[in-house]
Amino acid sequence: MHVPGTAPQPATAPGQNPTAALPAGNTPAGVPDPAAGRHARRFGLPVATALVMGNIIGGGIFLLPASVAPFGTVSLVAFGVLTVGAIALALVFGRLAQRDPRTGGPYVYAREAFGDFAGFLAAWAYWITTWVSNAALAVAAVGYLDVLIPVNGHRWSACLAALTIQWLPALANFAGTRYVGAVQVVSTVLKFVPLLLVAVGGLFFFDPHNLGPFNASGTSAVGAVSASAAILLFSYLGVESAAVSAGEVRNPRRNVGRATVIGTAGAALVYLLGTLSVFGTVAHSRLVASSAPFSDAVNAMFGGAWGGWAVALAALVSMTGCLNGWTLLSAQTPYAAAQDGLFPAAFARRRRGVPTVGVGVTVVLASLLTVYNYTSGSAKVFQVLVLVTTFTATVPYLLATAAQIFHLVGGRRHLVDRARLVRDSVVAAVAAAFSMWLVAGAGYAAVYQGVLFLFAGVLVYAVMAARRTRNP
């Protein structure tokens, strides 16, 4: 019997193996995944944590100080508030994964609580977020590649470099989840050497005169905090990584929540120390115009250019690893939605544990957006697109948080520990307020364009719903 407001469960014919009706990647613990082969492998806690940290700490950390420098050191306040909200979201995703440890993350939680349309909006908005973010990461990586090989002076050479950086992780995904996990672990380990060098070593070269004004935006402090937080969220995207890939995680009820909280807390610590160190080692006037702030920080610490080259190389490794994980995530949510008939059926095809059609469509869309960015010749356009991802990301975040509130309010309270109920309610309230605040901070232009993206999705949902009605 289907309970209203919950996702219908697949029927099982008499005598049929009950796991045969389950989607690939969502099989119970200990049962082989029918889509898995020798190139597919489930992630343990260390790899799941590396997936979260690797996806959060990608291009964001290496461009973050320059992105928020125009707002002044008030952006550090935004960092603190953002970290609290990000950890609250991590705790919410951990609780929801305990209830429903299936691949899809926010899509699964929204659909289970509120039905097909809410689930589709979560999947659609998250999908937009992933492929726009992939384009942003590739363009950001070119800024550090330019430190090693001058490419930014020629528009088409820079564009070709950005496309190459996108397609290499896509090829790793086509090879199977076994290689995705291996690349993620290696890139996460390699990136921490220069990050810790700047985050910890930079404190010994800290000069308060480099910090610049507290509020350089010309607006109120509250407005500056909100605006800088909207940009900073782009660097925190990925907190949901383990939840979205729950079907590929061993013992997801236990490991998804732990990996999410550990990965988010670790990334937040690196972010805060790294940004503070760069603020204190690079003069504010130079930092505002920097395209490789961590390289500038290492050069200021040790002199010469060798340190900047080393950091640039580490940044490229980091961003490539981040794209590796994000490419997998970009295909997981459409894959889960396609299994339920809410996305085209082609997105449900898997090979070696990876939804290959989703990976292919996503990398093509990101590539087209990258080409558009370089041909438009305007950095402002791309900045608005980054803020669009902030808005579209808050849609699945808010729907997932609403699903948690739905379960807390509508659940059987006499069966739940009272202290835990109060704690989960406070965390969900913080996550909801945090999501709403970010929508406001994204700005009118980003919300306007983001809503257009969402309305386009409503038309897609109408077509898919009609097909499901015609062919039940």
Side-chain angles (χ1 to χ4, degrees), residues 89 92-93 96 105-110 113-114 118 122 240 394-407 428 431 435:
L89 275 175
V92 167
F93 281 122
L96 289 169
Y107 158 74
V108 171
Y109 311 143
F114 308 120
E240 72 292 334
T394 58
V395 174
Y397 288 173
L398 188 58
L399 284 170
T401 304
Q404 173 71 344
I405 294 174
F406 170 82
H407 294 308
S435 299

Side-chain angles (χ1 to χ4, degrees), residues 22-28 31-43 175-178 247-248 335 348-355:
L22 290 171
N26 292 334
T27 51
V31 179
D33 188 334
R38 65 187 182 92
H39 298 285
R41 181 176 296 173
R42 292 188 183 275
F43 304 146
T177 54
R178 175 180 181 179
E248 278 63 60
Y335 163 73
R349 297 174 186 169
R350 281 164 59 101
R351 182 173 178 267
R352 296 176 175 177
V354 175

